[in-house]
């Protein structure tokens, strides 16, 4: 049986692979795992999660072939029940909500990653949420689906845009900010807004009260892995 610090945690998103090993954390392009710059040595076990197929993990599966791999595939209601269709809920969303629920029984988990997701946790239960395009997807949907000529990116603000770059960028920011407001209104009082994802800092400018929790999904995976260790599965 491996101990908690001996377990390598891997979360494969749509853009990046996020990892944690003991106190060390990092991220890499999901297509660059063959040259993964992970700490030297061999973990005792690997606990992992992935949205969609796990093809990108193949080089690491070969590198750590002698280590037990255990996948967190679907929500475990004993750790965090969900009202969402559990067969459909992105495992990264559930893990983020699980970690959020440990920080505060009521909270909104916002992940500004490839997609922008907002999830409501109330009284230790996941109540559901929203999925929107992340910043890069928002741009590529507009540039790819219209004849708008590609324009330079501009710093994001909530001001009306005065050029294509800032109209598109600010459009994403006000859409995201509005979604955060609607999400927060679902809960009584002022629930903590926990903000994660590669574009968290872009959104943080418009939601200054948000608490930046860059490793929320890995924290959830660590909680899940602890549970597996307790029951002797890892
Ligand atoms: N170094 C980086 N590499 C890739 N994307 C980054 C980086 N820094 C910020 N981003 C932004 O983060 C988004 C991906 O978010 P992230 O939460 O890391 O990925 P995933 O959706 O794979 O979990 C990208 O769309 C991009 O806009
Ligand atoms: C919504 C997501 C694409 C977000 O992925 P990410 O941006 O973290 O890479 C992912 O959680 C997912 O594939 N979810 C499945 C659909 C659902 O949650 O209903």
């Amino acid at each position: 049986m491996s101990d908690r610090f001996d377990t390598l945690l891997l979360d494969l998103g749509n853009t990046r692979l996020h990892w944690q090993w003991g106190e060390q954390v990092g991220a890499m392009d999901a297509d660059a795992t063959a040259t993964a710059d992970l700490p030297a040595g061999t973990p005792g076990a690997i606990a992992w999660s992935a949205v969609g197929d796990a093809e990108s993990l193949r080089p690491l599966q070969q590198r750590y072939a002698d280590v037990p791999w255990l996948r967190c595939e679907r929500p475990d209601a004993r750790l965090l029940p969900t009202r969402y269709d559990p067969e459909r809920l992105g495992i990264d969303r559930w893990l983020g909500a699980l970690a959020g629920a440990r920080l505060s029984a009521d909270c909104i988990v916002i992940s500004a990653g490839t997609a922008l997701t907002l999830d409501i946790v109330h009284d230790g239960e996941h109540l559901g949420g929203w999925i929107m395009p992340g910043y890069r997807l928002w741009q590529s949907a507009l540039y790819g689906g219209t004849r708008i000529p590609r324009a330079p990116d501009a710093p994001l603000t909530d001001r009306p845009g005065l050029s294509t770059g800032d109209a598109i960028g600010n459009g994403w920011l006000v859409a995201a900010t509005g979604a955060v407001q609607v999400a927060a209104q679902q809960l009584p009082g002022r629930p903590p807004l926990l903000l994660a994802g590669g574009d968290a800092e872009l959104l943080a400018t418009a939601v200054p009260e948000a608490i930046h929790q860059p490793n929320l999904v890995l924290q959830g995976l660590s909680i899940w892995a602890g549970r597996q260790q307790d029951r002797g599965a890892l």
Side-chain angles (χ1 to χ4, degrees):
M1 181 169 136
S2 65
D3 72 40
R4 191 167 293 212
F5 286 98
D6 198 21
T7 300
L8 171 63
L9 306 173
L10 299 175
D11 169 58
L12 180 63
N14 284 286
T15 302
R16 290 200 285 178
L17 173 69
H18 301 264
W19 62 267
Q20 179 173 345
W21 194 354
E23 302 289 303
Q24 298 185 71
V25 290
M28 70 193 78
D29 194 300
D31 297 325
T33 61
T35 55
D37 189 16
L38 288 163
T42 306
I46 295 175
W48 64 286
S49 55
V51 287
D53 76 64
E55 194 57 34
S56 306
L57 288 176
R58 193 157 292 197
L60 292 177
Q61 282 161 347
Q62 286 165 358
R63 179 163 155 186
Y64 300 120
D66 297 334
V67 171
W69 286 64
L70 198 62
R71 181 175 189 173
C72 176
E73 249 177 312
R74 56 182 56 85
D76 179 345
R78 291 163 298 188
L79 286 172
L80 179 73
T82 179
R83 293 191 191 174
Y84 204 87
D85 176 353
E87 299 298 320
R88 301 276 174 183
L89 177 62
I91 197 65
D92 55 343
R93 296 177 58 196
W94 181 75
L95 288 168
L98 172 62
R102 293 292 169 102
L103 296 171
S104 171
D106 278 19
C107 60
I108 306 295
V109 177
I110 306 156
S111 175
T114 312
L116 172 66
T117 56
L118 302 101
D119 285 283
I120 304 168
V121 174
H122 176 53
D123 215 3
E125 184 182 17
H126 176 248
L127 299 189
W130 295 268
I131 306 173
M132 299 163 61
Y135 177 50
R136 298 283 162 208
L137 274 183
W138 176 274
Q139 286 181 313
S140 56
L142 285 165
Y143 287 121
T146 70
R147 296 177 200 276
I148 299 175
R150 189 69 173 88
D153 291 357
L156 304 190
T157 74
D158 62 1
R159 306 294 306 150
L162 296 174
S163 71
T164 305
D166 57 20
I168 289 178
N170 296 0
W172 178 77
L173 194 68
V174 297
T177 310
V180 171
Q181 285 168 2
V182 170
Q185 285 163 5
Q186 308 296 312
L187 295 178
R190 292 165 62 87
L193 307 175
L194 307 177
L195 180 57
D199 283 325
E201 282 169 23
L202 290 181
L203 186 51
T205 57
V207 191
E209 68 275 33
I211 303 163
H212 194 192
Q213 292 283 335
N215 302 312
L216 213 49
V217 174
L218 290 169
Q219 285 172 35
L221 192 54
S222 175
I223 295 166
W224 178 85
R227 169 81 170 202
Q228 308 315 308
Q229 282 159 352
D230 292 346
R231 44 187 287 270
L234 198 63

